Amino acid sequence: MPAQPDKRKSQKILIVEDNFLVADTIAEALIDSGYEVVGPAPTLSAGLELATDAELDGALLDVDLAGRPCFPIAAVLVERKVPFLFLTGYHDASVIPPDLRSAWRLTKPFHLADLGAVAAKAFGGAPA
């Protein structure tokens, strides 16, 4: 019986994160888990451009992009039916608009193993 293909191999995941080191670490973890990384986008405008124009299967959005909320990017992804999850240092979910609170959320700091497991649930496929 042939092995089932890994669904993650073809999945393109956008990273929107303003901290270069965090974005790089997340990108490496996603690549190691079999995803293809789009970005990372460090600003709201760069994230909006990629969310609008890039072929995407999912996205990880830092809630606070140098003092600007990522919610316009999330709105574009909702419209495109692209699943996403929020990365946030805020423990209180009330910082997220009510219509977006059902999205997956990882609170910073998080373990990379948690990222892989949540990404697999949010975007499909099994964790590595």
Side-chain angles (χ1 to χ4, degrees):
M1 181 169 157
Q4 292 291 332
D6 187 343
K7 184 177 177 184
R8 293 170 291 167
K9 294 285 185 209
S10 62
Q11 289 189 305
K12 295 172 178 64
I13 308 299
L14 171 63
I15 299 172
V16 181
E17 168 62 60
D18 60 353
N19 181 306
F20 174 78
L21 292 177
V22 172
D24 191 51
T25 301
I26 291 169
E28 285 182 28
L30 288 176
I31 291 166
D32 289 346
S33 293
Y35 295 101
E36 184 177 329
V37 170
V38 177
T43 63
L44 179 61
S45 61
L48 275 169
E49 183 176 335
L50 288 171
T52 301
D53 298 332
E55 182 182 329
L56 300 172
D57 299 296
L60 294 114
L61 307 177
D62 181 10
V63 168
D64 184 347
L65 298 168
R68 299 183 75 188
C70 72
F71 307 127
I73 299 168
V76 168
L77 296 171
V78 167
E79 186 175 306
R80 291 186 62 195
K81 295 180 175 48
V82 174
F84 60 91
L85 64 93
F86 290 119
L87 304 174
T88 180
Y90 299 106
H91 294 280
D92 183 0
S94 69
V95 300
I96 298 171
D99 60 322
L100 297 173
R101 287 187 192 149
S102 64
W104 289 88
R105 185 169 51 103
L106 262 180
T107 304
K108 295 177 185 179
F110 54 83
H111 297 283
L112 290 179
D114 294 338
L115 173 64
V118 172
K121 289 176 185 174
F123 311 134

